[in-house]
Amino acid sequence: MLNQLVYTRCFPHRDLKNQGQVVRNEGFGVFSMSPELFDQQDPESFDYLQARLAIKNGSNETSPIGLFHSYEYMVLKPGVYAFSFEYERPHCKTPRPNGKTHRSGTYMKQCLVGEIEGYPCEWFGSTTWDAHLKSENDYYLDAPPDAVPDYLPQVSEKPVGRKITMEKAAAFVRDGRKEAVKAAIWFLVHEYGKPEEERKVLLVKDTPENVELWIAAIEYAFSSKMARNISFNTNCSKLGMQTDNSLFYYTDASGKFYPVANRSLALKRHPYCMIVGYHPKDNYCVSLKPMPASNFVVLDGISKQVSFTPDSSISHPYYQAAVEYGEDIQDFCSYVLPSLSLTEVTPSLPQLYDAFQYLLDSNHKADTWKYSSTIAHINTLSQFGEINNDVLNGYLLDQALSVYAKMADEDEQNNLLLLQILWKLSLRLHREKDIIGIVADKLQYCLTHLSTSALQLGRTWTALKSSSMDSLVAAVLDDLFNDTELSIYTKQLEAAGPEATDILLEMFFYTLRQNKMDLSAMMQNSTQYSFVCRSMVVLLKDKKRLHNQLANVSSNSQVFNSMCISVADFLTKRNICDAAKWWDIVMAANGSDVVSFCRDLCRCGKVDIQLIEQLLTSRMASIGRCDGALYQAFREAIQEMGAGRDTGVQFYRKWIEVSQPEDAELIQKAVRNMRMSKDTEKTIFLALDSKLPYDKSSRLDPKIYGEMDAWAKGLGTSSRSSMLYRFQRAVEHKRSASDIIAAAAEILEACVVVDSNFCQQDYFQDIVEKLADFGDDSELHLTVLCLFEGSGQNFRYNYADCYLSAVLDHSKGRRLAENLMSLCEATTCKFTIPGRTSSQVKEVQDTTDDVLRDMLIHFYKPGLIDQVLRLNQYDDAVKRKMAGMLEEAEKKGGKQGFAGRLTNKLGGLFGKRRDD
């Protein structure tokens, strides 16, 4: 309801500034008001209102312009308006009840305070303005002496009766006024974009009746709410003399009203009204002329011209539509603008009109929309808040949904801006399922084609995560991550690869968090648990992604430990190397010490000693050593779960592999203190024995070899490292070839196998160098040549080649002939070699023979045959064989004269003479 008050010449009157107290003075004043006015208005606004009520329009009964009525519409504060109808009374000839006569120049103003409905121009001529229907005498309460004016009732916010319609305003504009009205609308749009203290006023030079139509023509370019914030006065006088004081007032920082400027105070200027009419015949306005620096512009209603030149933006379709008053501008002003949180005219109106025509005009179909334009126009609308008209929202949502599929990829590249808008619309309209369905369909296609859709899935998921639409994402994933769908995804994981699997896992854990599901609940769901475990297996190919996903599980130790065991068990059966890699990554992700982790695993109840051993072995390989924590964890695990038949083999082999030679004693004690089968212990013993250095240069404490012998004896075997160590010592302290042969017996009996690079080791070079001193002892040669077994097809040949080269290199220039003869004799004579069968010995001899023949070409020199023939301690058969081998070497080397000398020395020993 609207409060009303009446201002006129009266007796008595009510004091507006003093809660309506009766004042028994005669003259102009507020005759009465609605009592509710004092409950709803701030007292500060009454100074301003009283001042405006006291200002008369330019009519005059005795002047050429005569009497006319006018309206003033003011904004007291946001949402509170003062709308006054000024009625000019002719001189009343009827005396007052007390006999006094009336003065001329009486006028009255009926003022409505509050917020009206509709356009202000539609109140022109309304029957709500009825205070003037009372006679002038009705406002003089001369008798009885204590009579007081009755309070006035409130009136409806809706006007009763009207004389102005849009059709009437349109007809008025079509009469040559289009450009002037368009310019006036353009002017106000731009002025309302400025701070209030910088705004200029639009003066309309025309009769009050036409000014009303000018105002109506302008107001219909806006929504009714915007129009209610455009203040106006249909007639003002004295503009040529007191322009500034007539158009503007001032306030200080506290909001106190000042009717004129005061340069000694910091005051802010405000226009009383943004549109002000003045009569073309008003003599007090004749001198009014707008200048570039003036704080007003003029619309001359007589010439239908304006005093200013709009810029090129006036050609925008909005301004043209505004003066056509067709369906487009009516829909825009009646439906679109009221649905936005717009109260004042804004410079964005042309852009809002564009958005309306692009998005909401049924003549512009959605299939012509472009993504960037669609977003830009929606943003134009949304800068003023949500659209509060559900019919418009529904239309916009339907149109956008019909074309979203073709915009989806571009929308993902822009953080799903369009989808976010549609989601908000759907929430308002309770149509969430429409949006959920669109997103779910797109994701489901990717999820059921993981091997080919990983990139698309990643783009869509990344966009959804960063879109701040948690409720939408949660709803979509609830549909997509039920047990049935999870089973389908699990079957695709291996083919999908780490990238797609990582995204899938992230989506799954997101679903759990959104549903506030504890990870422990996943353990009770075999489908979910299997999906997570198999996903971890696939992610093993991408360490970084796996580490990140393990972090999602590590917060729950029970689930983490159980999953670690399940995955390790699966990998152990498939690929033991992958299992080791798994444990290595798990330990890094777990963050706790290895002892605590193993204890947790043991308490989990799903682990066996084999997996614990696998974990510890993997950890040992990762850190490159076996520290006390690893050994403690292994011992505690055995105590907790017991040992299997092969328990310890994997652990100790890795310990041996990463250990230093000086750790051998510690490893030996650890193994012997552990209860294990004899076969297992023997396996570990052999691994340590093969790793133990036997060269004297290792500086290893010799007592370790004695301990290894004692350990070997208990296991019914022998220590290779000890035997090799003793043999080197025996060769070093040699007294005779027979002593060395005797020392070699235990190696021969044990059938010691050496590494493929044995001949390159210092150990081999050292013993051969010392054995060269016995280069003429063929039995020693054969014993050494049979001494070792080796791996690989060519070991025996390579070993013989290295041995013979070392012996002959050492004897070159000294006793080459004797050493050659002893090596040759070693290939022909029969010796009993301990631990070797006669066929094995024969095989070694044949190999040595081949090596010697190949090698002679490098050691042959003139005169060597003579030296060989003079060695009478060897059998003739050995000499003949050596001579034949030398002959072959001579031929291969291209030497001349050798064959002749050989024939002459040995006669017919080799057959016919060559010169026969």
Side-chain angles (χ1 to χ4, degrees):
M1 298 295 286
L2 303 175
N3 297 307
Q4 64 171 323
L5 54 86
V6 173
Y7 180 90
T8 187
R9 274 198 180 114
C10 60
F11 175 83
H13 67 265
R14 291 186 179 273
D15 190 350
L16 180 63
K17 301 178 185 179
N18 192 20
Q19 295 291 310
Q21 293 298 314
V22 175
V23 178
R24 296 196 174 276
N25 289 336
E26 185 175 321
F28 280 102
V30 177
F31 177 71
S32 189
M33 71 283 290
S34 302
E36 294 84 359
L37 180 69
F38 301 108
D39 299 329
Q40 299 171 5
Q41 299 305 315
D42 298 327
E44 292 81 4
S45 65
F46 294 144
D47 285 341
Y48 173 78
L49 183 58
Q50 182 87 40
R52 294 306 295 168
L53 293 173
I55 298 175
K56 183 181 180 303
N57 67 21
S59 68
N60 192 314
E61 190 174 8
T62 61
S63 72
I65 60 176
L67 295 179
F68 55 80
H69 315 303
S70 63
Y71 296 89
E72 183 173 23
Y73 181 79
M74 302 170 290
V75 180
L76 297 182
K77 64 179 182 179
V80 180
Y81 310 89
F83 200 169
S84 298
F85 171 59
E86 181 175 341
Y87 181 83
E88 302 298 326
R89 291 187 182 275
H91 188 197
C92 181
K93 305 296 184 178
T94 304
R96 288 166 48 182
N98 63 5
K100 291 184 179 181
T101 60
H102 293 282
R103 299 173 60 185
S104 63
T106 299
Y107 67 94
M108 69 173 304
K109 289 188 179 182
Q110 183 180 0
C111 181
L112 306 180
V113 179
E115 184 170 13
I116 64 172
E117 289 188 8
Y119 287 89
C121 67
E122 293 174 354
W123 284 75
F124 297 153
S126 169
T127 57
T128 303
W129 309 109
D130 60 1
H132 66 283
L133 299 179
K134 293 182 179 182
S135 70
E136 193 167 342
N137 283 337
D138 289 335
Y139 291 95
Y140 287 95
L141 305 181
D142 294 328
D146 58 349
V148 296
D150 293 333
Y151 281 111
L152 302 178
Q154 292 181 310
V155 299
S156 172
E157 301 93 337
K158 297 180 180 180
V160 179
R162 55 190 285 194
K163 69 176 182 179
I164 291 200
T165 63
M166 181 179 289
E167 292 74 16
K168 189 172 182 180
F172 177 75
V173 171
R174 284 194 292 271
D175 186 19
R177 297 180 176 90
K178 276 189 178 181
E179 294 304 315
V181 173
K182 188 192 301 184
I185 295 169
W186 177 92
F187 171 78
L188 289 173
V189 166
H190 284 73
E191 289 304 305
Y192 273 96
K194 301 175 183 177
E196 188 179 16
E197 62 270 22
E198 296 179 14
R199 293 174 188 169
K200 294 184 178 184
V201 173
L202 175 65
L203 301 184
V204 180
K205 179 182 177 183
D206 212 331
T207 62
E209 293 81 5
N210 278 353
V211 171
E212 292 173 13
L213 289 167
W214 284 107
I215 291 171
I218 292 170
E219 284 187 354
Y220 284 128
F222 310 109
S223 68
S224 60
K225 196 163 191 175
M226 287 180 180
R228 290 198 292 272
N229 277 287
I230 302 175
S231 54
F232 60 80
N233 187 343
T234 60
N235 185 264
C236 184
S237 186
K238 301 180 181 179
L239 293 177
M241 304 180 332
Q242 303 174 4
T243 306
D244 191 73
N245 291 343
S246 298
L247 297 178
F248 298 95
Y249 69 97
Y250 301 84
T251 59
D252 60 17
S254 68
K256 183 179 178 181
F257 169 73
Y258 292 84
V260 295
N262 186 337
R263 295 187 179 182
S264 64
L265 299 175
L267 300 179
K268 183 178 179 181
R269 192 189 75 173
H270 308 269
Y272 284 115
C273 299
M274 283 299 292
I275 303 175
V276 175
Y278 69 96
H279 202 290
K281 295 181 180 180
D282 190 337
N283 292 329
Y284 295 107
C285 299
V286 173
S287 63
L288 184 68
K289 294 185 183 297
M291 304 296 289
S294 297
N295 49 25
F296 62 89
V297 297
V298 176
L299 187 162
D300 190 334
I302 307 303
S303 66
K304 304 174 185 176
Q305 301 292 322
V306 294
S307 67
F308 57 95
T309 304
D311 62 28
S312 60
S313 64
I314 199 171
S315 63
H316 192 279
Y318 162 72
Y319 296 108
Q320 183 60 38
V323 294
E324 295 292 343
Y325 305 100
E327 289 184 359
D328 283 350
I329 198 67
Q330 290 184 49
D331 288 345
F332 179 60
C333 294
S334 300
Y335 300 108
V336 178
L337 292 179
S339 70
L340 303 173
S341 56
L342 274 172
T343 57
E344 281 197 347
V345 176
T346 169
S348 299
L349 277 171
Q351 290 72 42
L352 286 169
Y353 185 76
D354 284 343
F356 152 69
Q357 287 203 308
Y358 193 90
L359 300 171
L360 300 171
D361 187 348
S362 59
N363 293 321
H364 187 255
K365 301 300 183 183
D367 55 12
T368 63
W369 289 6
K370 302 299 181 185
Y371 181 80
S372 58
S373 297
T374 301
I375 293 295
H377 288 309
I378 291 177
N379 285 339
T380 298
L381 293 175
S382 62
Q383 67 180 303
F384 300 104
E386 295 183 1
I387 298 174
N388 57 30
N389 184 316
D390 286 346
V391 174
L392 292 179
N393 283 327
Y395 179 82
L396 179 58
L397 181 60
D398 288 336
Q399 293 297 298
L401 289 177
S402 70
V403 295
Y404 185 76
K406 74 175 186 178
M407 296 183 177
D409 289 342
E410 192 170 359
D411 198 32
E412 286 179 2
Q413 298 170 19
N414 291 275
N415 199 29
L416 297 177
L417 292 177
L418 181 56
L419 189 66
Q420 292 183 59
I421 294 165
L422 301 185
W423 177 241
K424 289 179 180 178
L425 285 176
S426 72
L427 291 173
R428 181 182 179 92
L429 299 171
H430 305 292
R431 292 177 55 184
E432 299 92 327
K433 289 184 179 180
D434 291 344
I435 309 301
I436 293 171
I438 285 179
V439 179
D441 287 347
K442 183 168 187 180
L443 281 176
Q444 188 165 43
Y445 177 83
C446 295
L447 293 173
T448 53
H449 299 79
L450 281 173
S451 61
T452 57
S453 301
L455 288 176
Q456 180 60 61
L457 178 64
R459 286 194 295 266
T460 303
W461 175 238
T462 300
L464 283 171
K465 282 190 302 179
S466 58
S467 67
S468 302
M469 295 184 289
D470 292 345
S471 56
L472 169 61
V473 177
V476 170
L477 296 187
D478 278 345
D479 282 349
L480 296 178
F481 280 88
N482 56 59
D483 288 355
T484 301
E485 301 297 335
L486 272 179
S487 298
I488 296 173
Y489 308 153
T490 303
K491 294 174 183 178
Q492 301 182 72
L493 290 176
E494 286 292 342
E499 182 179 0
T501 301
D502 183 47
I503 299 168
L504 200 56
L505 259 184
E506 185 178 348
M507 295 168 71
F508 173 73
F509 286 127
Y510 182 96
T511 305
L512 294 185
R513 288 193 298 272
Q514 288 298 308
N515 292 328
K516 294 182 171 52
M517 290 178 61
D518 188 83
L519 286 173
S520 299
M522 183 184 71
M523 294 278 294
Q524 310 305 318
N525 187 315
S526 59
T527 302
Q528 293 181 353
Y529 184 72
S530 174
F531 164 72
V532 173
C533 290
R534 291 298 298 273
S535 297
M536 296 298 178
V537 170
V538 175
L539 288 182
L540 198 59
K541 300 172 185 175
D542 191 319
K543 185 176 180 180
K544 183 178 180 180
R545 284 191 167 97
L546 176 57
H547 193 277
N548 291 338
Q549 290 298 346
L550 285 172
N552 287 319
V553 188
S554 60
S555 59
N556 188 310
S557 60
Q558 180 185 4
V559 176
F560 183 81
N561 295 335
S562 179
M563 185 196 67
C564 289
I565 294 166
S566 298
V567 174
D569 188 46
F570 175 84
L571 291 173
T572 300
K573 296 171 183 175
R574 190 181 76 168
N575 187 328
I576 193 66
C577 294
D578 284 346
K581 184 179 178 182
W582 166 252
W583 284 122
D584 188 35
I585 296 173
V586 162
M587 276 301 301
N590 179 57
S592 64
D593 63 90
V594 68
V595 175
S596 299
F597 185 45
C598 286
R599 287 172 182 167
D600 290 341
L601 291 178
C602 291
R603 284 193 291 268
C604 185
K606 295 185 177 182
V607 70
D608 57 27
I609 191 63
Q610 182 183 1
L611 289 178
I612 294 292
E613 184 174 5
Q614 187 185 92
L615 159 64
L616 296 174
T617 302
S618 173
R619 183 63 178 167
M620 198 186 307
S622 178
I623 64 176
R625 67 184 187 281
C626 178
D627 56 22
L630 289 171
Y631 181 64
Q632 179 186 347
F634 190 44
R635 285 182 61 84
E636 288 185 4
I638 292 174
Q639 292 170 2
E640 180 74 21
M641 293 179 289
R645 186 171 63 86
D646 296 325
T647 301
V649 173
Q650 190 181 173
F651 180 84
Y652 285 107
R653 272 183 170 171
K654 181 55 67 175
W655 189 357
I656 292 166
E657 180 184 324
V658 301
S659 66
Q660 299 300 318
E662 54 269 22
D663 297 331
E665 184 178 1
L666 179 62
I667 296 173
Q668 180 189 139
K669 289 180 179 179
V671 174
R672 300 187 75 178
N673 287 336
M674 178 180 167
R675 294 180 181 179
M676 60 179 66
S677 68
K678 193 169 185 179
D679 288 343
T680 301
E681 186 177 351
K682 186 175 181 179
T683 300
I684 298 170
F685 166 81
L686 293 175
L688 178 60
D689 190 44
S690 65
K691 176 73 182 295
L692 205 63
Y694 40 78
D695 189 4
K696 63 179 182 179
S697 61
S698 68
R699 298 181 182 179
L700 197 63
D701 189 346
K703 74 175 184 178
I704 189 63
Y705 299 108
E707 293 172 354
M708 291 296 288
D709 282 330
W711 189 9
K713 185 176 181 181
L715 295 172
T717 185
S718 56
S719 169
R720 185 193 77 149
S721 59
S722 297
M723 289 186 288
L724 292 174
Y725 174 76
R726 284 192 294 274
F727 182 68
Q728 186 182 33
R729 300 288 290 177
V731 172
E732 185 178 16
H733 300 92
K734 62 186 182 301
R735 295 177 181 174
S736 63
S738 59
D739 291 337
I740 297 173
I741 292 171
E746 67 170 344
I747 296 177
L748 290 163
E749 293 288 354
C751 296
V752 171
V753 177
V754 294
D755 299 330
S756 58
N757 65 341
F758 177 72
C759 297
Q760 283 74 48
Q761 295 177 9
D762 292 341
Y763 177 91
F764 176 78
Q765 301 296 328
D766 181 66
I767 62 173
V768 170
E769 183 179 338
K770 291 181 172 56
L771 290 174
D773 292 340
F774 300 92
D776 57 352
D777 193 305
S778 55
E779 183 179 5
L780 178 60
H781 286 317
L782 186 56
T783 299
V784 175
L785 287 166
C786 293
L787 192 58
F788 302 110
E789 296 289 341
S791 59
Q793 184 177 358
N794 299 319
F795 173 78
R796 185 169 285 115
Y797 183 94
N798 293 335
Y799 174 68
D801 183 72
C802 291
Y803 177 74
L804 267 62
S805 294
V807 170
L808 294 178
D809 280 339
H810 186 72
S811 59
K812 189 183 292 185
R814 297 192 298 161
R815 302 172 59 190
L816 181 59
E818 289 86 342
N819 287 345
L820 284 173
M821 285 301 296
S822 64
L823 290 170
C824 185
E825 185 177 45
T827 66
T828 57
C829 297
K830 292 185 178 181
F831 295 103
T832 300
I833 306 298
R836 300 291 184 270
T837 64
S838 57
S839 61
Q840 289 174 326
V841 174
K842 180 64 169 64
E843 188 176 347
V844 171
Q845 288 179 314
D846 291 344
T847 300
T848 306
D849 185 272
D850 292 340
V851 172
L852 185 57
R853 290 177 185 278
D854 292 341
M855 195 173 289
L856 277 176
I857 189 172
H858 303 294
F859 291 93
Y860 170 77
K861 62 181 181 178
L864 188 57
I865 188 60
D866 294 331
Q867 296 178 41
V868 169
L869 295 176
R870 287 197 294 269
L871 298 176
N872 295 323
Q873 68 268 35
Y874 295 99
D875 292 341
D876 286 344
V878 177
K879 290 181 181 181
R880 284 196 298 274
K881 182 176 181 179
M882 188 73 250
M885 295 167 71
L886 287 170
E887 180 182 28
E888 291 175 7
E890 187 275 335
K891 289 178 180 179
K892 292 176 182 178
K895 306 293 184 180
Q896 298 295 324
F898 174 72
R901 290 197 302 278
L902 183 61
T903 302
N904 291 333
K905 291 288 185 182
L906 298 179
L909 196 60
F910 292 88
K912 295 177 68 176
R913 292 179 178 271
R914 293 182 180 275
D915 54 0
D916 289 346

